[in-house]
Amino acid sequence: MSIASDIIRGHTETIILAHLAEKDSYGYEINKSIKEKTNNQYELKEATLYSAFRRLEQGALITSYWGDETTGARRKYYSITSLGRISLTQNKKDWYEAKELIDKLINGGNEND
Amino acid sequence: MIEKLRRNVEDLFENAPKTHRAYELKEELLSNLMDKYNDLVSSGKSEEEAFKSVMSGIGDVDELIKGLKDQDVLNYEEIQKRREKSALVLSVSVGLYIMSVVVLLLFVEVFHANEVVSVCLMLTMDAIATGLIIYNAASRSKYIKADDTIVEEFKEWKSANSKEKEIVKSIKSIVWLIIVALYFIISFTFGIWAFSWIIFIIGAAIEKVISLSFELRKYKNE
């Protein structure tokens, strides 16, 4: 699982972008959805999540705003920008290409193996 | 238990810079952790279990906090170093002012040197001291706002304002030095001590003119 975790961690930003492409969201909601989609197998550390948020925000791929919750603590919401959507499309393309190549490489060129 | 969570998060941010950005990150983290905690408790975990699970899920925040420090316009050590340098330059200048008078007295009273030469020597020392003070004020770093808040805008405005004040002050001190020099030179050469003091009244008038011209310029800029 730890190798799989490392590979997933390398794509944290793409995963966040993909989530935000559906709707604006906040830290815990994103992490919860990751956990649910992976059947409780994978969950981001908060530190990893916020580092990724910061990088994405600096790159103008996402923007943030504070929610107006009347009860409990305020939530910070993130929203994808048009630049973020372009980046997401490119990242997805890169991933499929890499996946195909790695499949070929580790299967000895025989895809039916 | 929520209070315990808050305390733990406060502890994590102990070494973070006291900036608006750090405060926001802390609030964001805390609100998300509380959501997670509440979710875990409502899914049937005990409070203790939920708390442990939340805390262990945070991971290493050191990197995150280091990122906050990097974003600061200037780091604290650099500011401290500049302050020390500025204090040193200032005390050397003040020392020069005092020593210049001592040198004057020494040359005139003890060595019976030419008065004009002695006064010139004193004024040269004063000029060096004034030059150092002006350099110190002019090379001081300008405050650049860290983010788009009103407080930061105010700090920037204040910094710009006080820099102009420093320049006016420096110009005035140069003017007064020249006046003192003229007073001595004229008095010694022509021996008109009885009424050469009038130059100081002229000096006061010149000072007012300088202040006024800067005020007028400020009005024009606005």
Side-chain angles (χ1 to χ4, degrees):
Chain A
M1 189 59 210
S2 85
I3 293 171
S5 294
D6 281 346
I7 294 169
I8 295 171
R9 201 176 304 127
H11 297 271
T12 307
E13 288 168 31
T14 312
I15 294 167
I16 293 171
L17 285 176
H19 185 95
L20 292 178
E22 288 169 30
K23 65 177 170 72
D24 290 2
S25 188
Y26 56 96
Y28 176 59
E29 195 179 52
I30 293 174
N31 213 359
K32 199 164 88 173
S33 113
I34 291 171
K35 200 176 165 187
E36 279 164 7
K37 281 180 182 164
T38 58
N39 292 324
N40 295 331
Q41 282 187 67
Y42 186 71
E43 194 180 2
L44 286 174
K45 297 274 185 197
E46 262 80 16
T48 316
L49 189 65
Y50 297 120
S51 298
F53 280 149
R54 183 186 296 152
R55 281 195 300 276
L56 288 167
E57 214 171 357
Q58 276 172 354
L61 302 181
I62 60 170
T63 54
S64 64
Y65 59 92
W66 285 96
D68 50 2
E69 282 77 24
T70 44
T71 54
R74 283 195 312 162
R75 282 173 186 151
K76 197 175 185 184
Y77 286 86
Y78 292 91
S79 155
I80 192 166
T81 63
S82 50
L83 197 64
R85 285 183 197 278
I86 294 167
S87 172
L88 175 63
T89 316
Q90 184 60 41
N91 288 358
K92 273 180 171 172
K93 210 178 122 224
D94 288 349
W95 166 250
Y96 288 129
E97 271 175 26
K99 187 171 165 260
E100 212 174 296
L101 289 174
I102 292 168
D103 279 345
K104 275 182 194 161
L105 291 170
I106 60 181
N107 287 329
N110 185 355
E111 278 169 39
N112 301 324
D113 204 28
Chain B
M1 206 50 103
I2 290 289
E3 202 38 54
K4 199 171 159 191
L5 203 63
R6 180 177 283 279
R7 268 207 308 279
N8 273 279
V9 172
E10 294 281 350
D11 285 348
L12 285 175
F13 278 76
E14 211 185 342
N15 295 320
K18 303 279 175 285
T19 59
H20 182 61
R21 212 185 286 272
Y23 175 77
E24 279 203 344
L25 181 64
K26 192 168 71 182
E27 285 301 297
E28 184 186 4
L29 178 64
L30 194 64
S31 83
N32 281 317
L33 292 180
M34 286 195 305
D35 278 346
K36 189 175 175 182
Y37 172 82
N38 289 333
D39 251 19
L40 287 170
V41 170
S42 60
S43 76
K45 286 211 173 178
S46 78
E47 288 195 349
E48 195 59 43
E49 271 178 324
F51 175 78
K52 272 186 188 152
S53 167
V54 166
M55 288 313 292
S56 68
I58 295 175
D60 186 11
V61 292
D62 289 349
E63 199 61 35
L64 214 57
I65 286 170
K66 228 178 97 201
L68 285 172
K69 283 182 184 159
D70 291 343
Q71 278 176 344
D72 279 346
V73 186
L74 294 166
N75 64 48
Y76 298 111
E77 283 161 28
E78 206 176 315
I79 291 172
Q80 188 60 34
K81 246 187 227 165
R82 275 194 202 168
R83 264 193 204 139
E84 275 166 21
K85 200 187 122 203
S86 153
L88 185 72
V89 172
L90 212 61
S91 34
V92 167
S93 319
V94 173
L96 274 174
Y97 279 128
I98 296 165
M99 283 307 291
S100 70
V101 179
V102 175
V103 165
L104 177 73
L105 289 174
L106 211 66
F107 271 66
V108 177
E109 299 298 325
V110 183
F111 302 124
H112 300 292
N114 181 298
E115 277 106 348
V116 177
V117 172
S118 311
V119 170
C120 284
L121 196 69
M122 176 189 98
L123 290 168
T124 312
M125 285 177 80
D126 288 346
I128 293 169
T130 311
L132 281 174
I133 291 175
I134 294 169
Y135 167 77
N136 204 22
S139 65
R140 190 173 297 165
S141 66
K142 190 173 162 243
Y143 191 91
I144 304 160
K145 58 180 175 175
D147 46 42
D148 279 330
T149 58
I150 295 170
V151 178
E152 292 298 317
E153 253 168 48
F154 174 72
K155 281 186 192 163
E156 194 179 55
W157 171 80
K158 213 175 105 186
S159 154
N161 231 20
S162 69
K163 202 165 177 184
E164 188 166 297
K165 267 189 203 148
E166 289 289 331
I167 292 169
V168 175
K169 247 202 276 179
S170 307
I171 291 173
K172 282 182 185 170
S173 71
I174 293 170
V175 168
W176 278 112
L177 271 174
I178 293 169
I179 286 163
V180 173
L182 280 175
Y183 171 71
F184 278 113
I185 291 167
I186 292 170
S187 303
F188 275 122
T189 7
F190 302 112
I192 43 172
W193 294 91
F195 47 90
S196 57
W197 51 267
I198 207 141
I199 198 167
F200 287 109
I201 295 172
I202 298 168
I206 293 171
E207 187 185 331
K208 286 289 158 212
V209 169
I210 293 168
S211 307
L212 201 68
S213 65
F214 265 88
E215 286 295 321
L216 283 176
R217 211 187 54 149
K218 222 194 270 173
Y219 267 115
K220 252 184 219 165
N221 286 351
E222 276 163 13

